[in-house]
Amino acid sequence: MNKRFHIQTMGCQMNEYDSDFLAQSLIKNGFLPEKDVHRADIILINTCAVRAKPEQKACSFLGRMADLKEKNPELIVGMIGCLAQMKGKELMRRFPLLDFVMGPRELGHILESVEGIIRERQRLVQTALDKVPPSPVKCTGYFQNRTSGFISIMEGCNNFCSYCIVPYVRGREFFRAPEDILEEARYLISEGIREITLLGQNVNSYVWKETQNKWNFSSLLHELAALDDLLRLRFTTSHPKDLSDDLLACFANIEKLAGHIHLPFQAGSNRILKSMRRGYTREQYLAIIEKIKTCDEDIAITSDVMVGFPGETEEDFQFTLDLIEHVEFDALFSFKYSDREGTPAAEMSEKISENVKIARLQRLQDIQNGITLKKNQRLVGRQMTVLVEGASKKGEQLTGRTSSNKVVNFDGDVTLAGRLVEVTVKASYLNSLKGEIIG
Ligand code: SF4
């Protein structure tokens, strides 16, 4: 009887992309996807290690699987992803219910590992980092009813920001060949995908020198945008140090390129930016923002920011708030700093207390929410082009995104999924807009 698998995906879009790879690999070999974890024969937890909170979340989920394993000793439980890479062996000791741990660079072995465990019931630790990420698999029909899809164009990071675990769990920068990326895009489009988001820890550092013609991120964007039936192209995440004029010109020259850029700044104080080893100053970051706004004032800018980095004074924090009020981001992903074992910042002194971190995060989010509401309010009455994704979460309406990555909910027929429609913005909220289809 075909075994049923359930994948619990935590963390970033790269993990969602990896989970799609795992699911397609298993389905192509006769395993059946199972939404209900209680009915699964194989449970895979795809994890994140970027902060303490997602680590706790993964471990508590794992703990809740102990009952299922007790009732069904044949159940296979595997931990995948960044936390598996970071703490593989330790987790195997701590959680006897675990059958295997597998790092992001070992995903290509998922099938032989699962089949090996079914046959021999051996426990496995697979966390080599020197492997190239696996090539995508094609599982016809897998992306049915989806409008948007991801393509990883690179993996890993060479920047070693002092607080970040990514270079230690995702490895050195690895760039995929442009032809492989184009091939994957053609496959997704043939499956009905109309919007593609290019993924990488530093997508704008993409470069390919193996062929006569050298490729960089801009040339890749132009080639992808030329594909028929692709309606929209997005990318994330960018690093300020690699944002070229070439790339900015793409926003003006490539119609399919969405008018949104995610550009993490992390802190507003030069002293803290230096301690974070971010590789730019506040002034340099603001100059880039100026360039983007000059290029097109409608480009939405979002970012990541951290509070409570070791040594952060009230004055440093004030620089962060000033920067946020100056730039007026469309949205911010804001977090409390937490030690990541093995990173230089974890060894730093002058750690900030949890209460101070919580208070600073609240002050920051209050300011940013006010800015986001004000910016969304300014869109009321505007006509915007929306790519319809399908039924909204509540199911009563349709939902989709503007080029500037704003979620819009509106009445309409679900057959519009995958198409661009014009809507008038009727009302605005913190995380979404209410629209009305024109015509
Ligand atoms: S750029 Fe810095 S924060 Fe981003 S993944 Fe690399 S090391 Fe981490």
Side-chain angles (χ1 to χ4, degrees):
M1 190 184 71
N2 296 42
K3 290 207 178 286
R4 292 163 296 183
F5 70 90
H6 173 87
I7 303 178
Q8 187 76 18
T9 304
M10 302 173 179
C12 66
Q13 293 149 320
M14 193 66 99
N15 270 10
E16 287 179 43
Y17 177 78
D18 289 345
S19 289
D20 280 336
F21 167 81
L22 294 169
Q24 291 182 87
S25 303
L26 292 167
I27 291 169
K28 278 198 81 170
N29 289 278
F31 293 84
L32 302 172
E34 173 55 66
K35 283 202 170 68
D36 180 352
V37 69
H38 301 90
R39 292 164 41 82
D41 305 302
I42 302 161
I43 298 173
L44 305 177
I45 308 156
N46 194 355
T47 59
C48 170
V50 80
R51 277 174 294 279
K53 207 168 170 190
E55 177 176 344
Q56 286 144 14
K57 197 176 155 202
C59 292
S60 62
F61 180 88
L62 199 53
R64 292 198 297 279
M65 297 303 109
D67 284 358
L68 295 182
K69 185 92 176 192
E70 214 166 292
K71 289 195 194 97
N72 170 16
E74 295 300 303
L75 176 66
I76 293 175
V77 181
M79 183 184 276
I80 316 273
C82 296
L83 184 61
Q85 182 68 43
M86 183 183 174
K87 297 193 170 175
K89 289 200 179 85
E90 179 196 327
L91 291 160
M92 290 292 270
R93 276 194 303 276
R94 211 170 122 199
F95 295 97
L97 81 154
L98 265 178
D99 294 286
F100 71 102
V101 289
M102 179 178 275
R105 293 286 178 106
E106 296 266 21
L107 300 186
H109 300 287
I110 188 68
L111 213 52
E112 67 205 63
S113 302
V114 167
E115 287 173 345
I117 293 167
I118 292 170
R119 264 194 325 274
E120 292 142 30
R121 299 305 313 186
Q122 278 184 327
R123 303 181 80 209
L124 297 174
V125 175
Q126 294 172 288
T127 52
L129 260 183
D130 56 358
K131 300 210 168 115
V132 297
S135 299
V137 285
K138 295 180 182 165
C139 181
T140 307
Y142 179 80
F143 288 97
Q144 224 166 24
N145 304 325
R146 287 209 214 171
T147 300
S148 300
F150 298 126
I151 296 183
S152 163
I153 66 168
M154 55 115 23
E155 189 165 334
C157 185
N158 296 353
N159 288 324
F160 288 92
C161 300
S162 62
Y163 54 83
C164 187
I165 196 69
V166 171
Y168 306 93
V169 291
R170 287 265 175 190
R172 292 294 71 64
E173 283 178 359
F174 167 86
F175 299 110
R176 290 181 62 203
E179 199 29 59
D180 292 353
I181 297 167
L182 286 162
E183 176 56 26
E184 188 175 356
R186 290 186 205 104
Y187 159 62
L188 290 180
I189 293 166
S190 73
E191 285 272 296
I193 296 289
R194 292 292 170 262
E195 175 185 82
I196 289 175
T197 301
L198 305 178
L199 299 179
Q201 273 79 29
N202 289 318
V203 281
N204 45 348
S205 67
Y206 180 88
V207 66
W208 186 260
K209 299 177 185 150
E210 313 299 320
T211 45
Q212 206 169 8
N213 310 330
K214 183 173 165 246
W215 290 64
N216 63 15
F217 190 48
S218 306
S219 50
L220 181 66
L221 288 175
H222 278 280
E223 282 298 314
L224 284 162
L227 294 174
D228 292 339
D229 297 331
L230 181 68
L231 297 176
R232 207 172 260 165
L233 197 50
R234 296 183 183 278
F235 59 85
T236 194
T237 295
S238 300
H239 193 291
K241 73 175 176 51
D242 299 311
L243 204 105
S244 64
D245 291 345
D246 223 11
L247 176 55
L248 283 181
C250 290
F251 284 107
N253 305 333
I254 302 180
E255 202 186 329
K256 291 180 185 177
L257 185 59
H260 165 232
I261 186 162
H262 185 67
L263 194 67
F265 80 100
Q266 301 297 1
S269 146
N270 283 338
R271 203 176 65 81
I272 297 295
L273 285 170
K274 193 157 181 250
S275 187
M276 286 176 165
R277 300 185 193 162
R278 285 293 289 168
Y280 53 82
T281 63
R282 166 197 182 83
E283 291 73 21
Q284 286 165 331
Y285 185 83
L286 289 173
I288 294 169
I289 295 293
E290 239 17 78
K291 263 192 184 172
I292 296 171
K293 289 185 175 181
T294 312
C295 163
D296 178 347
E297 64 179 11
D298 280 338
I299 290 184
I301 307 174
T302 57
S303 191
D304 295 343
V305 60
M306 188 185 291
V307 302
F309 186 81
E312 184 187 69
T313 62
E314 178 56 29
E315 190 196 8
D316 293 319
F317 179 59
Q318 200 53 51
F319 277 122
T320 295
L321 297 182
D322 292 352
L323 186 147
I324 290 170
E325 285 171 325
H326 177 83
V327 173
E328 291 205 335
F329 293 103
D330 286 77
L332 266 184
F333 298 86
S334 49
F335 311 97
K336 292 179 287 172
Y337 166 82
S338 61
D339 282 340
R340 298 287 74 203
E341 219 175 288
T343 63
E347 306 307 317
M348 290 178 186
S349 59
E350 297 180 83
K351 294 288 165 62
I352 309 298
S353 76
E354 197 57 21
N355 290 344
V356 171
K357 283 193 238 179
I358 292 169
R360 285 181 181 166
L361 189 62
Q362 191 57 58
R363 283 164 61 194
L364 185 149
Q365 288 174 342
D366 291 348
I367 290 171
Q368 181 56 44
N369 288 348
I371 292 169
T372 300
L373 277 169
K374 189 176 67 180
K375 296 196 82 164
N376 286 354
Q377 181 60 32
R378 284 190 206 137
L379 299 175
V380 174
R382 290 264 304 260
Q383 177 178 337
M384 306 194 87
T385 307
V386 172
L387 177 60
V388 185
E389 287 169 14
S392 63
K393 281 204 187 88
K394 293 195 192 114
E396 303 124 6
Q397 293 189 301
L398 290 184
T399 191
R401 283 168 195 269
T402 64
S403 171
S404 55
N405 210 29
K406 307 275 180 190
V407 172
V408 187
N409 298 314
F410 51 97
D411 295 332
D413 192 295
V414 76
T415 55
L416 290 170
R419 291 173 51 191
L420 291 170
V421 297
E422 296 300 313
V423 303
T424 306
V425 178
K426 291 295 183 184
S428 67
Y429 313 100
L430 184 60
N431 299 315
S432 67
L433 305 170
K434 182 169 174 252
E436 194 175 275
I437 285 191
I438 298 173

